[in-house]
Amino acid sequence: MGRLRVKGKAGAAKNYITRSSAVKKLQCSLADFRRLCILKGIFPREPRSRKKANKGSSAPTSFYYSKDIAYIDHEPILKKLREHKAFAKKLSRALGRGEWSSAKSLEENKPIYHLDHIIKERYPTFIDAVRDIDDALCMVFLFASLPSTSRLPFELVENCARLAAEWQLYVINSRSLRKVFLSIKGVYYQAEIMDQTVTWLVPYLFTQNVPADVDIRVMLTFLELYQTLLSFVFFKLFTDAGLVYPPPLDIKKDENGAGVNAFTLQGNSRQSSSKPAHNSFGSHITGKVVRQTIKNIAANSDMDGHDADMPASDSAPEADEEFTPRASSNDKATVTLPTLQTLSTLPQTLSTDLFSPFTFFLSRETPRSIFEFLVRSFGGRIGWPSSSGAGSPFDEMDPNITHIIIDRPLIEREETREQKELRLRRKYVQPQWIVDCINAGKILLEEPYGQGKILPPHLSPFGEYEGAYIPTTAESAPVEEEEEGSEIMEEDTEDREALDTVMQAVTEEPTSLRAAELVAEAAGVDYGAFEATVKQAHKRLGKETDSEIDHGESDMNKMMMSNKQRNLYEKMKYSRQKKEAEVSVHYQDYIQIVHCSSF
């Protein structure tokens, strides 16, 4: 006789647990349960049968894995939250009774929890942490631009601004920025950190307000986790680059609005002295270290048997091993294998010193935080007026300035002789030129981006998925149709109506072609325009017949398929049509932008 299965004690009823049951089991409030789930990365699950998981009830509810709830039950933060609940009760009781000394002692011994162990659990390797900092950077930059209110303490906003500045400092120092896009939401950046692509969004510097209907507590819980994660990641990145973390902050410069320049990058002298000892324990062992250790062991064994001294050649430091190509016994040709030295000499796909030959000066209407970060990330020097903040390395009269980034209309004004000479030696460009040069990977011509000129379309560089919109292919597609229909577009309204009638009357039969010709002659349509219309009509008919043939063949093929193959074919067809629709929408937007810019 097999085991008896009790209803509600096995299967989905055992594997899943409702949210109310989970809160009751953990003996915490709903807000604390939500905070624990966010910190531990636990989210609701959808069972196959909600009725079986809910023990026969069909009431709407959220389900979690029972193992996840058991995992939370042993979390040290849960214990700290319970202690904080007891602390809040004791503090309110002491304040109500007027016991100020006990309230002060309670405040000094307030229970505090740390998220270090959670970061180590969720990100076992450093690459995992780098791969997952996209959302963390977006959240930190968002809160760095918000004003401090009763719901947002000043210390929280200040810490987010510090983390944002530290990230920008590292990207500038490592020259790891790759793509930029100026969108309506803000500025999208993409950097390459340890062969991982990191994309984040920075809002524009407008006056922000926090809506009252937004539950900011959930966002603050995510921000709490992200701040700890970024602190770990930045410490590792800065120390690997030989820099001191956190970088020292000049409070006076920060108060004067220096921004990123208020932080100073300093080399870590202790890291270089600790590297040999660190390597000797095997964390970064090379072939040279292994060979030297073997020679020392052999030399020590010889010293025990003989009193001879060590040879001078053994004590001399070895040079790094180089690859020597040798001919194979099977192949006559010698194949040259790449080494680390040859790979380091290969040309880079994107020049990180793109702006190094130039010196820029920002006009007062251009956002300094954005373009200072862009120019410095690619090796350029940049200055700004005193109204944009302190810390500019040079002023507007510096003779080394090559480009003026200006975003105001061109107005004729009286200038001195010195000002005219400076204007002739410099190039005045609009801010979009900086971004387009970065995305193109080269220095573009300054003339289309001159002051007061209509700018070319600013297209997104993030089209990496299959079937993405590519502007060059979209531009070249409709050229033939535009050339053939150019004569038609120049006709009057009456001629267009007559040509539409011709288009509808033309078929493959010669009698219909003769009738269409008579209609065009009676309407006074030019013979060249009539021929172009007939060509377009024949093309349309050919496409319709081809589509009918293809549709018939596809129907015959679908009849021979099984149900599984037919469903898979329909899904593939739907996804292909969806991509084609997205490409057509992008093309229409591009055409609209081009027409607007031409006017």
Side-chain angles (χ1 to χ4, degrees):
M1 184 177 177
R3 292 179 57 186
L4 296 176
R5 299 186 62 182
V6 183
K7 185 178 180 181
K9 299 294 184 181
K14 183 181 179 181
N15 295 333
Y16 295 93
I17 185 173
T18 61
R19 188 179 67 177
S20 57
S21 300
V23 171
K24 187 181 297 183
K25 181 178 180 179
L26 296 176
Q27 297 181 2
C28 63
S29 63
L30 184 59
D32 291 342
F33 175 74
R34 187 184 294 114
R35 176 180 296 181
L36 284 170
C37 289
I38 291 173
L39 296 178
K40 299 292 287 184
I42 294 172
F43 50 90
R45 307 284 181 165
E46 184 65 25
R48 291 186 177 180
S49 175
R50 299 179 63 89
K51 193 172 183 180
K52 290 181 179 180
N54 206 8
K55 300 178 182 179
S57 176
S58 59
T61 183
S62 301
F63 294 94
Y64 293 86
Y65 280 148
S66 300
K67 291 185 177 180
D68 291 342
I69 303 303
Y71 181 54
I72 295 178
D73 198 8
H74 299 280
E75 176 59 39
I77 295 181
L78 181 60
K79 182 181 178 182
K80 289 290 184 181
L81 291 176
R82 291 169 181 167
E83 292 178 359
H84 189 275
K85 186 176 181 181
F87 156 78
K89 288 182 179 180
K90 292 178 182 179
L91 183 62
S92 62
R93 186 185 300 115
L95 292 175
R97 293 177 178 177
E99 299 174 354
W100 311 115
S101 59
S102 58
K104 183 179 180 181
S105 62
L106 284 172
E107 185 67 27
E108 292 175 354
N109 298 322
K110 180 180 178 180
I112 300 174
Y113 63 87
H114 300 281
L115 304 179
D116 302 353
H117 65 285
I118 290 184
I119 300 299
K120 295 177 183 178
E121 289 174 3
R122 296 187 63 174
Y123 307 104
T125 62
F126 182 63
I127 297 298
D128 295 334
V130 173
R131 194 182 297 120
D132 202 36
I133 64 173
D134 295 1
D135 294 337
L137 290 172
C138 293
M139 184 76 76
V140 164
F141 276 95
L142 172 63
F143 275 85
S145 62
L146 295 179
S148 59
T149 59
S150 58
R151 296 191 293 171
L152 290 176
F154 170 73
E155 295 79 9
L156 182 69
V157 178
E158 186 180 18
N159 188 37
C160 291
R162 179 186 62 83
L163 290 172
E166 289 173 358
W167 171 253
Q168 289 182 336
L169 276 176
Y170 177 77
V171 173
I172 290 172
N173 183 70
S174 61
R175 304 286 180 86
S176 53
L177 189 64
R178 295 295 177 265
K179 295 178 181 179
V180 190
F181 178 58
L182 305 175
S183 71
I184 299 176
K185 295 181 180 179
V187 185
Y188 285 90
Y189 298 100
Q190 188 176 92
E192 189 173 343
I193 308 295
M194 299 184 67
D195 296 332
Q196 301 296 325
T197 302
V198 180
T199 308
W200 71 98
L201 173 64
V202 179
Y204 292 116
L205 296 178
F206 296 139
T207 303
Q208 307 288 343
N209 61 335
V210 183
D213 56 345
V214 175
D215 189 3
I216 204 170
R217 294 176 299 175
V218 178
M219 300 178 68
L220 289 177
T221 305
F222 276 103
L223 182 64
E224 184 182 8
L225 176 67
Y226 290 155
Q227 283 180 333
T228 310
L229 171 62
L230 291 179
S231 299
F232 272 90
V233 173
F234 292 172
F235 175 79
K236 177 68 174 173
L237 292 176
F238 272 74
T239 51
D240 287 351
L243 301 173
V244 175
Y245 185 82
L249 173 64
D250 191 341
I251 299 177
K252 188 175 181 180
K253 287 184 178 180
D254 188 41
E255 291 177 352
N256 293 330
V260 181
N261 293 305
F263 293 86
T264 306
L265 291 176
Q266 295 181 357
N268 193 354
S269 59
R270 292 180 296 178
Q271 184 185 6
S272 59
S273 62
S274 62
K275 273 186 177 180
H278 182 69
N279 292 340
S280 62
F281 284 100
S283 61
H284 186 66
I285 299 176
T286 60
K288 177 182 175 181
V289 175
V290 174
R291 291 192 300 273
Q292 189 66 31
T293 306
I294 293 173
K295 287 185 178 182
N296 292 336
I297 294 173
N300 291 333
S301 62
D302 292 341
M303 287 293 292
D304 294 339
H306 305 281
D307 293 335
D309 295 331
M310 290 287 294
S313 59
D314 292 341
S315 60
E318 285 191 0
D320 292 337
E321 182 181 4
E322 295 183 359
F323 177 75
T324 304
R326 294 182 180 178
S328 174
S329 58
N330 298 327
D331 301 333
K332 294 182 180 180
T334 302
V335 181
T336 304
L337 297 179
T339 61
L340 183 61
Q341 296 177 356
T342 58
L343 290 175
S344 62
T345 57
L346 291 176
Q348 299 291 331
T349 56
L350 178 64
S351 175
T352 56
D353 297 330
L354 192 65
F355 299 136
S356 57
F358 308 117
T359 302
F360 299 88
F361 190 84
L362 287 173
S363 188
R364 65 176 181 269
E365 71 276 356
T366 54
R368 172 197 151 195
S369 59
I370 297 174
F371 293 97
E372 180 191 2
F373 173 61
L374 295 179
V375 171
R376 291 182 60 186
S377 297
F378 286 88
R381 296 178 66 246
I382 189 167
W384 53 88
S386 58
S387 59
S388 299
S392 177
F394 50 86
D395 57 359
E396 191 175 2
M397 303 306 294
D398 193 333
N400 297 322
I401 296 175
T402 58
H403 292 77
I404 300 291
I405 304 176
I406 191 167
D407 195 13
R408 66 180 77 165
L410 185 60
I411 300 175
E412 296 183 359
R413 60 177 183 177
E414 296 182 359
E415 295 179 343
T416 61
R417 183 177 180 181
E418 184 179 0
Q419 290 176 347
K420 289 182 179 179
E421 292 178 356
L422 285 176
R423 176 174 284 274
L424 292 175
R425 289 201 301 264
R426 298 170 179 176
K427 295 182 179 179
Y428 290 76
V429 294
Q430 299 187 45
Q432 185 182 327
W433 180 77
I434 299 287
V435 181
D436 289 351
C437 287
I438 293 174
N439 295 333
K442 60 182 180 180
I443 300 298
L444 302 176
L445 295 176
E446 292 88 351
E447 185 177 357
Y449 300 88
Q451 181 183 1
K453 292 189 176 180
I454 298 175
L455 293 171
H458 178 56
L459 305 175
S460 173
F462 298 102
E464 299 176 353
Y465 57 91
E466 182 182 358
Y469 167 64
I470 302 174
T472 55
T473 58
E475 287 178 5
S476 60
V479 171
E480 297 180 358
E481 296 182 2
E482 289 180 359
E483 290 179 354
E484 292 177 357
S486 59
E487 298 179 358
I488 302 174
M489 297 298 293
E490 294 176 358
E491 300 293 333
D492 297 333
T493 307
E494 298 178 357
D495 294 345
R496 290 176 184 173
E497 293 177 356
L499 291 175
D500 292 338
T501 306
V502 171
M503 180 76 75
Q504 296 175 1
V506 171
T507 60
E508 294 294 336
E509 299 178 0
T511 55
S512 63
L513 182 62
R514 178 61 181 166
E517 186 177 357
L518 292 175
V519 170
E521 185 177 357
V525 179
D526 188 15
Y527 186 71
F530 172 74
E531 283 188 344
T533 308
V534 171
K535 287 182 181 179
Q536 291 185 2
H538 284 309
K539 283 184 179 181
R540 178 175 57 81
L541 290 173
K543 289 181 181 178
E544 290 179 356
T545 53
D546 292 341
S547 63
E548 290 177 358
I549 294 172
D550 294 340
H551 186 66
E553 291 180 356
S554 63
D555 289 341
M556 291 293 294
N557 294 332
K558 285 171 62 176
M559 292 174 62
M560 303 299 294
M561 294 180 183
S562 62
N563 291 334
K564 186 175 182 180
Q565 292 174 346
R566 191 180 298 110
N567 293 333
L568 182 61
Y569 172 74
E570 291 294 337
K571 289 181 180 178
M572 294 171 60
K573 186 177 178 181
Y574 173 75
S575 61
R576 186 170 62 251
Q577 291 176 354
K578 189 176 180 181
K579 289 182 180 179
E580 291 176 356
E582 289 179 357
V583 171
S584 63
V585 168
H586 286 306
Y587 172 67
Q588 294 296 333
D589 293 343
Y590 172 73
I591 292 298
Q592 187 176 2
I593 292 172
V594 171
H595 285 310
C596 292
S597 61
S598 62
F599 287 114

